Amino acid sequence: MKRLKVLMGFAVDMDIIQRNPLTGLKGFKSSSEGFHTWTEEEIAAFENRHPIGSKARLAMTLMLCTGQRRSDAVRMGWQHVKDGLITVRQQKTQATLAIPLHPDLRVVLDQTPRANLIFLLTEYSKPFTTNGFGNWLRARCDEAGLPACSSHGLRKACARRLAEAGCSNQEIKAITGHETEAEVTRYTKAADQKKLAQHAMGKLIDIEPQQQSANPSEKVRNSNG
């Protein structure tokens, strides 16, 4: 709608139409949560079916440990890895991200041949298209008995893991490249409430002794029994 509104506004300016038909038109809220976010159990099931050394395992780990889109994953290669970082220039936003290599990704890359610059190639040794890669990984998910999982859900799983680790929205955006708080909130919606609550309570418990020691009246009450 936003893009159509701009297009119709351009048509008005060019005297192609008399008024913008989208002016004042409101959007609608969708109850859909979008692509399914992979759970830890589903990640483990995929890893059991596709061991380290397989192209499927490389693809899954690359997306899960960088939090990037399919369009970026298919262009990643050895030339982007240096000094413990993998540098990504996102196709959609043109943002450049330097992402530390996760230990799991290091292990998988250590078992990946350096015969080609690009990590992921088709069976014909050609780079994947974005849609072609999505369809290929979807088939690998079926092989692992995961009909609800997709490549895009791995990006959401990365954001979920970061949220459960206690990362702020700014920290999550530094990995995924999201531009707005709303986008991050939508992607981290599947974060485990129990884990987040435990993390939050742990922070509260850690800071309480400092608060009490800084309160003189509390010290007096304690000394008087």
Side-chain angles (χ1 to χ4, degrees), residues 149-169:
C149 294
S150 67
S151 55
H152 196 81
L154 286 167
R155 177 166 160 82
K156 297 178 74 173
C158 177
R160 170 185 60 76
R161 281 183 164 185
L162 291 168
E164 290 175 353
C167 296
S168 67
N169 279 6

Side-chain angles (χ1 to χ4, degrees), residues 35 37 67 69 92 152 154-161 163 172 176 178 181-191:
F35 291 96
T37 304
R69 301 176 181 86
K92 181 177 180 179
H152 196 81
L154 286 167
R155 177 166 160 82
K156 297 178 74 173
C158 177
R160 170 185 60 76
R161 281 183 164 185
I172 295 173
T176 63
H178 284 112
E181 297 288 313
E183 288 177 317
V184 175
T185 299
R186 179 163 56 88
Y187 269 64
T188 58
K189 188 175 181 179

Side-chain angles (χ1 to χ4, degrees), residues 5 7-23:
K5 189 177 292 185
L7 180 62
M8 293 299 102
F10 176 75
V12 171
D13 293 340
M14 296 293 292
D15 293 325
I16 298 174
I17 57 177
Q18 293 184 348
R19 58 178 294 275
N20 190 330
L22 294 179
T23 299

Side-chain angles (χ1 to χ4, degrees), residues 43 51 78 93 184 187 195:
I43 292 170
W78 290 110
T93 65
V184 175
Y187 269 64
K195 289 182 180 179

Side-chain angles (χ1 to χ4, degrees), residues 1 13 50 98 101 107-108 119 168 171 193 201 204 220 222:
M1 277 184 60
D13 293 340
H50 301 289
L101 286 176
V107 171
V108 171
F119 291 136
S168 67
E171 289 172 326
Q193 180 274 330
M201 189 59 69
L204 178 61
V220 173
N222 289 340

Side-chain angles (χ1 to χ4, degrees), residues 13-57:
D13 293 340
M14 296 293 292
D15 293 325
I16 298 174
I17 57 177
Q18 293 184 348
R19 58 178 294 275
N20 190 330
L22 294 179
T23 299
L25 188 64
K26 297 181 179 180
F28 65 93
K29 292 184 178 180
S30 173
S31 59
S32 172
E33 296 183 358
F35 291 96
H36 168 69
T37 304
W38 290 46
T39 66
E40 293 302 315
E41 291 76 17
E42 289 167 336
I43 292 170
F46 190 95
E47 291 176 340
N48 288 335
R49 177 60 179 80
H50 301 289
I52 293 176
S54 66
K55 183 165 63 177
R57 181 64 167 272

Side-chain angles (χ1 to χ4, degrees), residues 22 37 86 88 107 120 144 148 166 223:
L22 294 179
T37 304
I86 182 165
V88 181
V107 171
L120 300 169
S223 65

Side-chain angles (χ1 to χ4, degrees), residues 37 39 44 52 70 89 124 126 130 144 184 190 208:
T37 304
T39 66
I52 293 176
R70 294 177 303 172
R89 183 173 176 82
Y124 303 106
K126 301 291 184 181
T130 299
V184 175
E208 281 179 342

